[in-house]
Amino acid sequence: MTAAMTAPTDSATDTVGAAPFPQASPTAGADTVPPPEAIPGYPAATPTADADPVAGADALKEAVSQHSITVGNVVDQLDALGFTVGDTRISVWSVLVVILVIMAVFVLARLGSKMAHSLFKRVTRLDPAQQLLGEKLLSIVIWALAIFIGIDILGINLTALTVFSGAFGLAIGFGLQKTFGNLIAGIILLMDRSIKPGDVIAIADQAGNSTFGEIRKIGIRAVSITTRDQREYLIPNENLMVNQVENWSYSSRQVRMQIPVGVSYNCDIKKAEELMLEAARASKRVLNSPPPTCWLDSFGDSSVNFIIHCWITDPEQGVGNVRSEVLKKLWDLFHENGIEIPFPQRDLNLRDNAEFRKLVEAIAQRMQAPGSEGANPEKSPPAQGG
C-alpha cells in the first residue's frame, strides 16, 4: 500500500514540477550548439559581393532601370563587363559614369567661374590688383565646391582617399613645391599690390640681361610681360619676390628720361642749351609740367656734355621713340643755328730723342732717293722712251 501511494506522487511531481525543456535528439551529441541562423530573430546571412568604388553608379543604374526597361538592360550589360581587383569591382558602366561626372564638373566649374567673375566686377569697385585677387579666390572656391559635389554624386567614400592624400602630400613636398610656391607668391604679390596688371617693370635675369615691358597677366605660376617688340616673357612669381624689380608705375606713372647730348667747345653753350629745351618741348609725349630741364654734365675729351631731362606718363608706349624724336628735332635746330656736333679728337705728342731723329732722317732719305714717290722730279733720271 505504501508503494501504491508513492507512485502517483512521483508521477505528479514529474508532470507538474518539471520545466518544459526540449528533448535532445538521440542522434545529436550533448554539446551540440545550434547555428546562428536557427536562433529566432537573428538576421539571415547575405552572400558577400565585390565592393563597388562608385556607389553613385549603382544608384544611377537603378534609377535608369525604373524609367526605361530597354535602357536598363543596356546598363546591365555595361555593368556586367568589367574586372575585379581584390574586393573592388570595376565595370564599364562605373567608368562611364565617372567620365561623365568629371566632364559635367569641369563644364559647370568653368561656367560658374565666368559668371562669378562678371558678377564680382559689377558688384565691386576695386583696383586691378584687388580685382584679380578676388577673381582668383572665387575660382578656387568654385572649383573646390564643384569637385566635392562630383565626389558626393559619385558616392566615393573620402576615407578611401587617405592613401592618395598622403601620396599627394609627398608629391607637393618634392615635385610640386615650385608650383605651389609660385601660387602663394602670386597671391602675395596681388595682396600687397606691389605689382599689378598694366605696370611697366624692368627685371634682370640670372645672366644680368634686363627685361623691360608691361605686365599683361598675373597667373598661377608666372607673370606675363610684353615688351615693345611684342615678345612675351613668362617670369615665375617667385623671381619677382626674390629678385630686385624696377617698377616704373608703382606709386606714380610719371617717368623721367635722360637724353645725353654733346656740343663743340667752339659753340655758344647757352644757345645750345636753349635749342635742347626747344627740341624736348616739341615732342608730344613730353610733359609741360614738370618742364624739361638741361644740365651741363661734364667737359669731355672732344665735347661739352649736356643731359636733357624730360618727363612722360606713358612708359608702356616705350622710351626709345621719345629719345629719337627729341634728337632728330635737335639735329635740325643745330644745323639751322650753326651748332657743331664734334667728332672725337685726339692730340699726338712725339718726344724728341736720338732715336726719333734717326727715324726722321731715314724717312727723309728714303723719300729723296731716286725712284721713290717723294723724290724730286728734277733730280730723277729721265724716263727712257722710244
Side-chain angles (χ1 to χ4, degrees):
M1 186 175 182
T2 305
M5 293 179 63
T6 57
T9 306
D10 295 335
S11 177
T13 306
D14 293 338
T15 57
V16 175
F21 286 106
Q23 297 295 326
S25 175
T27 58
D31 297 335
T32 303
V33 179
E37 293 82 357
I39 301 176
Y42 193 88
T46 56
T48 59
D50 295 333
D52 193 349
V54 183
D58 296 337
L60 183 60
K61 181 178 69 174
E62 295 178 0
V64 171
S65 300
Q66 292 177 0
H67 285 79
S68 175
I69 299 177
T70 304
V71 178
N73 293 332
V74 175
V75 172
D76 291 336
Q77 293 179 0
L78 294 176
D79 191 42
L81 301 175
F83 57 93
T84 303
V85 179
D87 295 336
T88 303
R89 186 176 184 278
I90 300 175
S91 63
V92 177
W93 169 248
S94 61
V95 173
L96 183 61
V97 170
V98 170
I99 293 175
L100 292 177
V101 171
I102 291 175
M103 293 176 60
V105 167
F106 181 78
V107 173
L108 292 177
R110 291 290 298 273
L111 294 177
S113 297
K114 291 182 179 180
M115 294 176 60
H117 292 173
S118 60
L119 182 62
F120 186 74
K121 289 180 180 179
R122 284 184 292 179
V123 172
T124 60
R125 295 178 178 268
L126 303 174
D127 58 16
Q130 294 178 344
Q131 186 78 26
L132 184 58
L133 177 60
E135 292 178 0
K136 288 188 178 298
L137 294 178
L138 278 177
S139 298
I140 294 174
V141 171
I142 291 174
W143 277 95
L145 289 177
I147 291 174
F148 282 117
I149 290 174
I151 292 175
D152 184 68
I153 293 175
L154 293 176
I156 299 176
N157 188 4
L158 294 180
T159 58
L161 300 178
T162 54
V163 177
F164 174 75
S165 61
F168 186 68
L170 292 177
I172 293 176
F174 291 101
L176 301 179
Q177 56 181 348
K178 289 293 183 182
T179 302
F180 278 82
N182 287 322
L183 172 62
I184 300 302
I187 295 176
I188 293 175
L189 290 175
L190 292 174
M191 289 180 63
D192 65 0
R193 294 183 294 178
S194 59
I195 294 177
K196 56 186 179 295
D199 285 350
V200 179
I201 65 172
I203 183 173
D205 57 10
Q206 297 180 355
N209 301 322
S210 180
T211 301
F212 165 81
E214 179 184 2
I215 297 178
R216 293 293 179 85
K217 179 183 177 182
I218 300 179
I220 295 178
R221 187 191 68 85
V223 174
S224 173
I225 297 179
T226 304
T227 60
R228 289 290 300 161
D229 53 0
Q230 295 303 313
R231 292 183 180 180
E232 191 165 0
Y233 292 87
L234 298 178
I235 302 177
N237 296 331
E238 285 187 344
N239 292 2
L240 297 179
M241 291 192 61
V242 176
N243 299 333
Q244 180 178 350
V245 180
E246 182 180 356
N247 193 339
W248 289 24
S249 53
Y250 176 60
S251 58
S252 175
R253 297 191 62 84
Q254 291 186 355
V255 177
R256 190 180 71 170
M257 296 178 50
Q258 297 181 351
I259 306 174
V261 178
V263 297
S264 174
Y265 278 93
N266 299 325
C267 69
D268 186 358
I269 61 174
K270 293 184 178 179
K271 181 64 175 179
E273 185 176 354
E274 294 177 0
L275 296 178
M276 294 177 195
L277 296 176
E278 181 180 352
R281 287 191 292 263
S283 178
K284 296 180 180 179
R285 293 178 55 192
V286 174
L287 300 179
N288 294 326
S289 179
T293 57
C294 185
W295 293 359
L296 177 59
D297 184 49
S298 64
F299 296 104
D301 297 335
S302 306
S303 62
V304 181
N305 299 322
F306 288 86
I307 295 180
I308 303 174
H309 296 275
C310 53
W311 296 82
I312 59 174
T313 56
D314 50 356
E316 66 277 2
Q317 299 298 328
V319 294
N321 47 11
V322 178
R323 184 180 293 107
S324 175
E325 184 179 359
V326 173
L327 290 177
K328 286 190 293 186
K329 180 64 176 179
L330 188 59
W331 175 272
D332 296 335
L333 293 176
F334 278 177
H335 278 276
E336 292 175 1
N337 294 270
I339 303 297
E340 180 184 359
I341 300 176
F343 293 99
Q345 299 177 5
R346 297 292 184 269
D347 294 334
L348 183 60
N349 297 323
L350 299 177
R351 294 184 179 181
D352 188 11
N353 51 35
E355 288 78 7
F356 179 71
R357 292 176 184 176
K358 292 179 181 179
L359 178 61
V360 173
E361 292 176 359
I363 294 175
Q365 290 176 4
R366 186 175 181 85
M367 294 296 293
Q368 294 177 1
S372 62
E373 296 180 358
N376 192 349
E378 298 180 356
K379 297 182 180 181
S380 60
Q384 309 236 349

